[in-house]
Amino acid sequence: MAEDVTGRTGGAAGVARAGVEGPGGGPEGRAGASGTGELVARALPLIAPGSPGRPGAARRERLGRLRSRAAPYVLVAPFFLLFGAFGLFPLAATAWTSLFRVELTAPEAREWVGLHNYARLLSDDFFWNALANTVVIGVLATVPQLLLALGAAHLLDARLRGRLFFRVAALAPYATSVAAATLVFALFYGRDQGMVNWAAGLVGLDPVDWQNGPWASKFAVASIVIWRWTGYNALIYLAAMQTIPHELYEAAALDGASRWRRFWHVTLPGLRPALAFTGLVSTIGAVQLFGEPLLFSSGAGASGGADHQYQTLGLYLYEQGWVNLHLGRAAAIAWAMLLILVVVLGLVRLAGGKGGRR
């Protein structure tokens, strides 16, 4: 009877039924049936690949869930490793160094001074002079720079012939080396043979000592920053302008709005993210200003002029660390610059939040 059943089914299920029924229904048959049934029950998961009872299926499912959860962390891990190595570690090392009196020529000879380097900055006239120069030059450079960039972007957004050429030309100053640009401007602002004083003499104005004057030197350094970064910010504003829906301009025109009102009520609100970004980047760049004042006057170096009239915080940091070799003081200045940036940006964010609620 077992052979008949197996022949009819041709599979493991038939063998299982044959073992259960057994020839003659005797005890031997039932015992053989139970043994055969156990073997078939163990073999069925291997025969049916889709069966949930397959050995290792639960483990593979757990591994699959683990991989899906870990994949995002694996993908972003290189960024955090690089940021930790080149971002967090230098910050922590600089903060630790600022608590010591240490010279650049003998970094292993350290003397613990705690917060003395920070307290010294509060009574350091050169630090406050550098901070004031940084604020003045930053304002003189940032405000005209962003306004000129906004106007240039508005002109580049119009349908002009050769728009691509003007857009590439606007980015050319940004691609120019800061050393080359500063040296050219130093000749441009020369006291005796500079082009600016030559043009001023044509209209009857007296020559200006651009490199030694207290305000003239700040304006000259700020003009270099304006020339280098206006085109870069203009292209950012241009890209943001092209994302504003054209239907808004059409609706405003149908309502009788002039071009100025369309620019004020449609373009500017659409540029808020770009304005915030360029303002943030310009503020950070102003606090870290270094190359332009360093190369502006030959022989002045890190002092920022004979009377430190355009020495910025970046120059003062360089002077303390790499000219005077006071590495601990330079580290304290670096952290002071970071704290100033955090305070300024926090105040701007707080003011923006109050304005938004109003």
Side-chain angles (χ1 to χ4, degrees):
M1 182 175 178
E3 294 179 358
D4 295 339
V5 174
T6 305
R8 288 194 301 269
T9 59
V15 176
R17 288 195 298 271
V20 172
E21 293 175 1
E28 296 83 359
R30 287 193 296 271
S34 62
T36 306
E38 290 179 1
L39 292 176
V40 173
R42 294 178 181 179
L44 280 177
L46 301 177
I47 298 172
S51 173
R54 180 178 49 180
R59 183 179 61 185
R60 285 190 291 272
E61 185 178 355
R62 288 194 298 269
L63 289 176
R65 288 198 299 265
L66 181 61
R67 291 193 190 99
S68 63
R69 292 176 181 176
Y73 300 98
V74 173
L75 293 176
V76 301
F79 164 77
F80 285 103
L81 291 176
L82 293 175
F83 179 71
F86 299 101
L88 294 180
F89 176 74
L91 281 175
T94 304
W96 180 249
T97 304
S98 67
L99 303 177
F100 292 85
R101 179 180 289 113
V102 53
E103 301 297 322
L104 186 62
T105 55
E108 68 282 355
R110 295 171 174 245
E111 179 185 354
W112 174 267
V113 294
L115 299 178
H116 173 73
N117 289 326
Y118 294 95
R120 181 182 177 277
L121 293 179
L122 298 178
S123 58
D124 189 353
D125 294 335
F126 292 106
F127 171 77
W128 292 108
N129 174 72
L131 177 60
N133 292 337
T134 301
V135 173
V136 172
I137 296 175
V139 172
L140 290 176
T142 301
V143 176
Q145 172 194 152
L146 297 183
L147 293 177
L148 290 173
L150 190 60
H154 187 64
L155 293 177
L156 292 175
D157 193 39
R159 296 182 178 180
L160 301 174
R161 292 183 179 180
R163 285 183 298 173
L164 181 60
F165 169 77
F166 289 109
R167 293 175 183 178
V168 174
L171 195 59
Y174 171 70
T176 305
S177 170
V178 60
T182 305
L183 292 177
V184 170
F185 270 84
L187 297 175
F188 189 71
Y189 285 110
R191 183 185 61 180
D192 299 325
Q193 298 178 353
M195 186 177 294
V196 175
N197 284 340
W198 172 79
L202 294 179
V203 296
L205 298 178
D206 295 331
V208 178
D209 192 355
W210 295 99
Q211 295 180 348
N212 295 316
W215 283 96
S217 58
K218 295 181 180 63
F219 177 80
V221 172
S223 66
I224 306 174
V225 180
I226 293 172
W227 182 81
R228 291 194 66 237
W229 291 95
T230 298
Y232 171 82
N233 292 322
L235 291 183
I236 293 179
Y237 293 153
L238 177 62
M241 285 179 182
Q242 294 178 349
T243 62
I244 300 175
H246 189 66
E247 293 78 6
L248 297 178
Y249 293 101
E250 294 178 350
L254 291 175
D255 289 339
S258 61
R259 292 179 62 89
W260 170 251
R261 294 183 66 86
R262 276 177 279 172
F263 176 80
W264 188 262
H265 295 286
V266 178
T267 304
L268 284 183
L271 293 179
R272 284 179 182 174
L275 291 171
F277 171 76
T278 53
L280 173 63
V281 172
S282 299
T283 303
I284 295 175
V287 174
Q288 298 177 346
L289 189 62
F290 175 74
E292 291 85 350
L294 177 67
L295 301 173
F296 178 62
S297 178
S298 60
S303 62
D307 296 328
H308 302 268
Q309 65 268 16
Y310 58 88
Q311 185 183 49
T312 60
L313 286 174
L315 277 184
Y316 185 59
L317 185 153
Y318 178 79
E319 182 184 39
Q320 289 296 316
W322 280 264
V323 178
N324 300 334
L325 305 180
H326 301 318
L327 195 58
R329 296 179 187 175
I333 296 170
W335 263 91
M337 293 168 62
L338 177 61
L339 295 177
I340 290 171
L341 269 176
V342 171
V343 170
V344 170
L345 296 179
L347 293 176
V348 171
R349 184 177 179 85
L350 182 63
K354 290 183 177 179
R357 288 193 295 270
R358 289 179 181 177

